[in-house]
Amino acid sequence: MSKKITFILIFVFFTISFVQASPVQRFPKPEFEYGHQQPPTIAPDARSQFMEYLDVFVLLVSLSLISWFILKKRSRWGALGMSVFSIVYFGFIKEGCVCSVGSVQNIALALFNPGYKIPITVIAFFVIPLLFTLFFGRTFCAGICPLGAIQDIIAFRPLKLKSWLQTVLGIIPYLYLGFALLYAATATDFIICRYDPFIGIYRFDAKFSMFVLGATFLLVGVFVARPYCRFFCPYGVLLNLVSRISWKHMTITPTTCIQCKLCENSCPFGAINEPTLDKKKEDRQIAVRRFIILSFILPLLILAGGWVGSQFHENLASVHPRVQLAEELMTFNESSELEPSLELTTYKSLGKSEEDLYVEAASIIREFHVGAWILGGFIGLVFGLSLAGLSINKHRIDYEPDRGSCLSCARCMDYCPMPEEEKPHRLLFAGFRKPVRFK
Amino acid sequence: MLFLTAVLISPVRIAEKSTIVYCLKLLCTNTSNKLKTLKMTDSSKKNKLNRRDFLNKGLRYTVGLGIGAIGVAAWTKLSSQEMVWQLDPSKCRQCGRCATSCVKTPSAVKCFHVYALCGYCDLCGGYFRPETKNLTTAAENQLCPTNAIKRKFIEDPFFEYDIDQDLCIGCAKCVAGCGAFGNGSLQLQVHHKLCDNCNQCSIARDCPSEAYSRVPAKSAYLFQGIEEKDYQKQKG
Ligand code: SF4
Ligand code: SF4
Ligand code: SF4
Ligand code: SF4
């Protein structure tokens, strides 16, 4: 009974302190004697559907163009031109959203959240670059991605990173992808969008901290080429994997590699694989043993990762606003000095029961339990595979772009002295280098 | 449903299998035959390349299928049109975060006047501070921090209130006032000419009353108390 009274009191209190939800006609509609016309309420339209389709069309055309520039024309200038175009169109005109990098989250949300309906343009922005990469390598990264393009044109003084550092930092995108998918699938937040460092620059408008982040990335980007692409981009993970088995991929040399080493330091991203020099023949037995060990370690790592992840599922879940609210409600007591948060007072004012909130929060935490297992397992797998990658050295005789991490920017091509077959005049520039014969 | 899961899972299965086969082959043949390749005759080189190409091709098809499958799975959740963010005034609690949480400064959320609901009151709860004595347009009487509401005399005893949306910052003070003492004709809405339609609206994340949702772009406003036909859409 007393509970009921307090409830009613609280209810009355909040209805006073908060405004009624829907409009109430307290005063009658005026009747103007001198014929004054009420102006209409004007509601400006959203960006038209046509414009959204136009974006997809532009994406298709520009991807085709840049792939042609890089693979067929072997033109760095073409790629650079497309970068500038992308900065202008996808960056400043379109102002970012939705971009392929962020679309990963929409896809995850659509697959896991029954309430979310995904627009076709978002699917297109997710799928098209992946398909192009499957055919031509990461030409999307070369100059169509607005995030990549802005970093690409300011990579003035790229330093060579130690390869171990590159490998270690290269794990971050996988983690970022894992977390982004977890938080998107549980409808918590879109962290990729939230921490997108460049969107503020494209909009000329952002919170100060985001400006600082963007500026830092650009500043670092002068010396460490494309830091976001290489060490953060979650979409880049997918492109990296897909690019490894692409149908075509740009090559440094138009014909054959003569190991002249001229291109050795040309890649600002450290994506050129040098020929393997060790002539030691590796024992078949060792290889087999390593394979057996790996196939034991990998599942172990996945399990261990999953278990560790699941231990943190409550911490992971505590980012979710509903869980936060439930936590606050649980610890909140009326007598304490602390003001209840706006969320809490609002929730109470809505007159929903506390049980509902707890039930909802509990189910979210359960979701996170599953999610944390998967995330942890995924992280374990990534660590395992990177280890495996380190221990296996692939045999290589030529200088080749690393198919995964090469961004197809076409910089290295100009360093290759080999002439293109159809352009014999290039032979002149080959200078005194070793004469070459073609088939 | 079953079909869908089958469609979803089968490429993954195939991919798994062929990935394992691929890795196995790579590991066993490639690493062990290191030096051999150097000395390999032309024909054996070709053979080897062919095998690698073949595996790559298989993998490529499966990955292509996988991408397609994800696309198709997302397709089942397709919305018929573009979505934009909008807030539902009937849920809004006028907390003021619309003014501060938007990625734009000033916020893309603006106050809209639904004239059709307005009582044209002299003592406007949205215009005057509660303690105001003299109903004059003096700045200190106005509730709006940016003086974005313009008061215009129409005829005794009616006044019309217009909102200068260039000045409005979406703080919801007037909305609260009008809702508490008037007809609730002042309503906050995301102004779609100004909104960038972020992939994830940063106000939606912060809104304590969960008033934000994605709505179809064709009916992008959620005015309360009037029908869609009653307000005038303006080409964006
Ligand atoms: S790596 Fe990511 S951010 Fe960089 S260009 Fe590619 S998709 Fe864009
Ligand atoms: S095309 Fe690839 S390998 Fe060549 S410089 Fe660009 S990123 Fe490096
Ligand atoms: S009080 Fe706030 S919401 Fe109302 S018109 Fe002024 S700035 Fe806009
Ligand atoms: S979608 Fe972005 S621009 Fe629009 S109201 Fe939300 S935060 Fe502001």
Side-chain angles (χ1 to χ4, degrees), chain A residues 70 76 152 249-252 263 266-273 400-402 405-413 415:
Chain A
I70 292 168
R76 169 70 192 149
D152 197 76
H249 192 281
M250 53 85 35
T251 51
I252 302 175
C263 67
S266 64
C267 180
F269 317 114
I272 294 181
N273 285 329
E400 287 166 357
D402 180 87
S405 54
C406 167
L407 301 170
S408 293
C409 71
R411 282 189 179 83
C412 52
M413 289 172 173
Y415 289 79

Side-chain angles (χ1 to χ4, degrees), chain A residues 100-101 138 140-143 145-149 151 226 228-230 233-237 239 407:
Chain A
S100 303
V101 182
R138 296 171 73 172
F140 173 73
C141 297
C145 175
L147 309 186
Q151 297 171 79
R226 291 219 197 183
Y228 185 82
C229 295
R230 287 154 76 198
C233 178
Y235 192 58
V237 168
L239 296 176
L407 301 170

Side-chain angles (χ1 to χ4, degrees), chain B residues 170-182:
Chain B
C171 70
K173 290 209 169 79
C174 61
V175 181
C178 179
F181 307 111

Side-chain angles (χ1 to χ4, degrees), chain A residues 2-141:
Chain A
S2 69
K3 209 173 177 185
K4 217 171 197 170
I5 291 175
T6 33
F7 178 76
I8 290 172
L9 278 180
I10 287 176
F11 185 77
V12 170
F13 169 73
F14 279 114
T15 33
I16 293 170
S17 66
F18 279 100
V19 174
Q20 254 87 7
S22 18
V24 246
Q25 194 81 28
R26 291 200 182 85
F27 303 97
K29 240 176 134 81
E31 276 163 30
F32 302 112
E33 271 171 50
Y34 304 108
H36 174 69
Q37 286 294 319
Q38 284 182 342
T41 301
I42 289 174
D45 269 339
R47 200 162 177 262
S48 71
Q49 193 99 2
F50 169 75
M51 289 300 282
E52 308 285 341
Y53 293 145
L54 183 73
D55 285 345
V56 176
F57 179 71
V58 173
L59 178 74
L60 270 170
V61 171
S62 54
L63 268 171
S64 313
L65 253 179
I66 200 169
S67 301
W68 177 72
F69 272 132
I70 292 168
L71 276 85
K72 200 92 197 151
K73 299 296 285 180
R74 300 177 54 79
S75 154
R76 169 70 192 149
W77 284 106
L80 200 63
M82 292 310 293
S83 300
V84 173
F85 168 77
S86 156
I87 290 175
V88 172
Y89 186 81
F90 291 112
F92 288 113
I93 295 180
K94 191 170 134 68
E95 298 192 308
C97 291
V98 57
C99 79
S100 303
V101 182
S103 71
V104 178
Q105 303 163 110
N106 300 60
I107 297 283
L109 185 62
L111 295 185
F112 289 97
N113 193 303
Y116 176 66
K117 291 256 173 286
I118 187 168
I120 185 161
T121 46
V122 180
I123 302 183
F125 265 84
F126 175 76
V127 169
I128 291 172
L130 279 175
L131 288 182
F132 264 85
T133 305
L134 190 61
F135 279 98
F136 306 115
R138 296 171 73 172
T139 48
F140 173 73
C141 297

Side-chain angles (χ1 to χ4, degrees), chain B residues 51-66:
Chain B
R51 193 164 60 216
R52 172 90 69 80
D53 280 353
F54 179 72
L55 281 166
N56 261 349
K57 201 166 175 181
L59 211 56
R60 189 151 58 235
Y61 281 121
T62 44
V63 168
L65 272 177

Side-chain angles (χ1 to χ4, degrees), chain A residues 26 44-45 95 110 113 343, chain B residues 77 97 105 155 182 196 221 234:
Chain A
R26 291 200 182 85
D45 269 339
E95 298 192 308
N113 193 303
E343 278 82 2
Chain B
K77 305 286 296 295
R97 287 198 185 158
T105 27
E155 61 178 57
D196 282 341
Y221 289 87
Q234 198 182 51

